[in-house]
Amino acid sequence: MYTLKRTQTCGALRASDAGRTVILNGWVEARRDFGGVLFIDLRDRYGKTQVVFRPEVDAALAELAQSLRFEFVVAVRGVVKARPAEAVKKGMETGEIELEATGLEILNESKAPPFEVTDEAAASDEMRLKYRYLDLRRRPMQRNMVTRHRVLAAFRESMDAQGFLDLDTPILIKNTPGGARNFLVPSRLWPHQFFALAESPQIFKQLFQVAGMDRYFQVCKCYRDEDLRADRQPEFTQFDLEMSFVDEGDVQAAVEQAVSHVFQKVLGVTLPTPFPRMTYAEAMDRYGSDKPDIRFALHLVDVTDLARASAFRVFSEAVATGGIVKGLCVPGGGTMSRKEIDELTTWVKGVGAKGLVWLKGEGGTLGGGSAKNFSAEELAALRSRLGANDGDLLLFVADERGRCKVALGGLRTMLGQKLKLVKEGSWEPFWVVEFPMFEAGPEGRPQAKHHVFTSPMPDDVALLETEPLKVRARAYDLVLNGVELGGGSIRIHRKDLQRRVLAVIGLQEGDIRDKFGFMLDAFDYGAPPHGGIALGVDRFVMLLLGLDSIRDVIPFPKTQKGQCLMQSAPGGVIPKQLDELHIALKPAPEDGRAG
RNA sequence: GGGGGCGUAGCUCAAUUGGUUAGAGCAUCGGAUUGUCGAUCCGAAGGUUGCGGGUUCGACCCCCGUCGCCCUCGCCA
């Protein structure tokens, strides 16, 4: 119990409140002591208000206020006063007033915080994660969390308006190898048996369709035990939806409506719909990426034909061994230093490419770098093919097809950011469509690129057994500003086609029965045509806020090694727990990371 | 598993490229200060330079190993 319960929040008071007696509760954000008069900035989720203590108003109170320190939690009663004209703080919502204190209750003291709880993130990621509750107290993080809430609220609003049902699915499910590595949960009641944490609600949402729950959606947690990235966490959140009696266009339209609604509600931005479509083949050829940032026009240009006959062996040999040569013309990139170009080369080699060939537009032809390896005619042809001007930088990668695209596509993205080619504040969502059904696995055997329930395009079904790698899928990814927001597909709803697809990836009848038996059984009982999609909530919020790490929009994220620095999770368990689970531990690996 | 960056006071950083007493700002503590809002001024305290080993007359600096944080490739249907 405490006596001075707040009557207002710290962001509420304005000049029109002058003369009122109110009570504020909050944290001490700043303290300015003039010996006589003492100022305190009081903060809560809603804002910040200056409190002033004066000895002439209450000497004992002013003395008590001297003991206040950063992050003390206090309750202050006082009279709202208009500030003297010269003391008005511009740019502060409550800057026209201050609270002249007549009562103070220290609700809790605080140790000196390990870092300052200020708007500027002056602390390292490590400190922020260890003391996450203090990091979250900072205004920018509070803003991020509020935005996250508003995005979720707007999404649910749109889904409800479109007639979707919010239904949940189990987190503890059966382990099915393939796809992302699962987190495993041992079963106490069934010794030697394990649950897996759901990596997505995929199977269940399809079974909802079999069950007639047309138009399902959910905001759900997903778990994948894979390596982390700036935009990947082992535990993340998806907008998940699935619909019956639909084709690609219906799912995309539903998503466009929901995404547009979120943009309108959260940013006040109107997105033109429908979103443009681009085929996977075009994305890879022109951008070297299946999630290109199309906000800047920097395209990969194929010069394989020119390279084939070149005297420059780096080019001709790459082509002779079945590779390709592609180039990128960076407008104005000629000013980049040798050192900067070397950094690009280092990166390219890091992704497995052999190297980077570079030239600069100068004197009406091309010079610098590898120019001496080409004839004048070749330089002219390259310059013309890439549309280069004097002052431009030309970058080429000659390599195996996939590596070439990945290397140049990566360079394109890096240069777009480095040279600020991107129009800030622009939003260009689009769909990448016609993904390949399969990709070559380790031993050349086709693997599902999306997942095994994805339907092939009708025109390509005949190729399933003969040229599986040429079969295109009825799959689609939603891409926004170079980020893959999510992907989905029209599913296979007929058992005969499903069996053919499973056979292509080499699953034996026994395996099929073991892994997907219940799914196929369900399809025996009238599965409707259906399809859906899942979008990454964390990435979505990150994009809306213009941030570049997913960690800043997840309240309690893990480090890149998958640890929670605040809890020190994961951690060990006591022998009794292991006994109950009938689990014996093998010796820990040498790196000493065992709990 | 591979490539790269970083690790120095509670926090954020510096240390003339190997030279003897490792500095600054903020925070902390003490003092001064009656209109500030990153308050100001004076003073104090604060260090196993992530950890282990090596090279050297001498190591924050060079070498090897290791741990941690970040970026990235693989991986993530």
Side-chain angles (χ1 to χ4, degrees), chain A residues 294-296 420-428 481:
Chain A
I294 58 170
R295 289 175 299 169
F296 58 99
K420 305 212 188 316
L421 301 176
V422 174
K423 283 174 278 173
E424 284 303 323
S426 59
W427 305 101
E428 299 193 24
N481 295 4

Side-chain angles (χ1 to χ4, degrees), chain A residues 169-489:
Chain A
T169 52
I171 300 296
L172 292 174
I173 66 173
K174 183 174 177 173
N175 179 43
T176 52
R181 186 179 296 114
N182 286 323
F183 285 100
L184 297 178
V185 180
S187 163
R188 176 181 57 84
L189 297 175
W190 295 89
H192 300 185
Q193 312 255 337
F194 294 80
F195 289 105
L197 299 184
E199 64 190 56
S200 85
Q202 185 61 36
I203 290 171
F204 292 93
K205 70 175 178 173
Q206 289 193 243
L207 294 179
F208 271 147
Q209 303 314 300
V210 179
M213 299 295 175
D214 181 10
R215 297 202 164 213
Y216 137 95
F217 89 99
Q218 181 182 191
V219 174
C220 62
K221 283 289 189 73
C222 302
Y223 303 87
R224 297 181 185 175
D225 189 6
E226 298 289 349
D227 285 359
L228 284 69
R229 285 286 191 289
D231 62 352
R232 278 175 11 203
Q233 283 273 311
E235 176 172 8
F236 64 102
T237 308
Q238 283 190 341
F239 292 137
D240 191 50
L241 64 90
E242 194 80 6
M243 313 160 73
S244 294
F245 308 115
V246 292
D247 60 23
E248 294 86 330
D250 298 306
V251 178
Q252 289 162 357
V255 172
E256 285 167 355
Q257 190 172 327
V259 168
S260 309
H261 182 69
V262 172
F263 266 81
Q264 193 68 60
K265 290 288 264 198
V266 177
L267 294 182
V269 167
T270 303
L271 293 179
T273 55
F275 302 160
R277 268 72 168 163
M278 182 190 302
T279 64
Y280 173 84
E282 183 186 354
M284 293 308 292
D285 279 347
R286 300 191 72 202
Y287 300 96
S289 167
D290 60 1
K291 48 178 168 60
D293 190 337
I294 58 170
R295 289 175 299 169
F296 58 99
L298 191 61
H299 296 137
L300 310 196
V301 179
D302 194 285
V303 296
T304 306
D305 56 322
L306 298 175
R308 180 173 291 116
S310 175
F312 187 29
R313 290 172 60 186
V314 169
F315 273 22
S316 54
E317 284 185 3
V319 180
T321 55
I324 60 171
V325 183
K326 278 179 172 279
L328 203 55
C329 174
V330 187
T335 55
M336 284 180 70
S337 68
R338 182 59 190 266
K339 185 172 174 236
E340 289 175 301
I341 296 173
D342 283 347
E343 284 170 8
L344 299 179
T345 304
T346 303
W347 185 85
V348 164
K349 286 181 175 170
V351 300
K354 292 187 189 69
L356 187 64
V357 173
W358 62 273
L359 298 165
K360 285 180 177 179
E362 52 190 44
T365 177
L366 300 174
S370 308
K372 63 179 186 299
N373 297 301
F374 296 99
S375 68
E377 293 73 31
E378 284 179 311
L379 292 176
L382 289 172
R383 181 175 164 117
S384 151
R385 174 73 59 87
L386 290 169
N389 294 308
D390 284 359
D392 292 351
L393 174 69
L394 282 67
L395 302 170
F396 297 92
V397 173
D399 219 305
E400 179 270 323
R401 178 171 295 268
R403 261 200 298 275
C404 176
K405 289 177 178 177
V406 169
L408 272 178
L411 281 183
R412 179 183 179 275
T413 305
M414 289 167 62
L415 291 167
Q417 289 162 0
K418 188 180 170 73
L419 302 175
K420 305 212 188 316
L421 301 176
V422 174
K423 283 174 278 173
E424 284 303 323
S426 59
W427 305 101
E428 299 193 24
F430 67 101
W431 296 99
V432 177
V433 298
E434 299 181 18
F435 275 78
M437 263 302 267
F438 307 103
E439 57 194 350
E443 286 149 28
R445 176 177 287 290
Q447 295 178 343
K449 189 167 173 70
H450 188 55
H451 59 61
V452 296
F453 311 118
T454 300
S455 179
M457 291 181 69
D459 290 351
D460 296 350
V461 169
L463 301 174
L464 269 177
E465 286 78 15
T466 53
E467 295 186 279
L469 294 179
K470 287 194 174 170
V471 175
R472 293 165 299 167
R474 298 178 72 181
Y476 33 81
D477 273 6
L478 179 59
V479 177
L480 176 55
N481 295 4
V483 174
E484 179 196 330
L485 269 188
S489 64

Side-chain angles (χ1 to χ4, degrees), chain A residues 97-120:
Chain A
I97 55 92
E98 62 193 2
L99 189 67
E100 189 174 86
T102 56
L104 169 66
E105 190 175 356
I106 297 176
L107 302 177
N108 210 342
E109 300 182 351
S110 171
K111 295 208 298 189
F115 55 85
E116 295 166 66
V117 183
T118 58
D119 291 3
E120 303 76 34

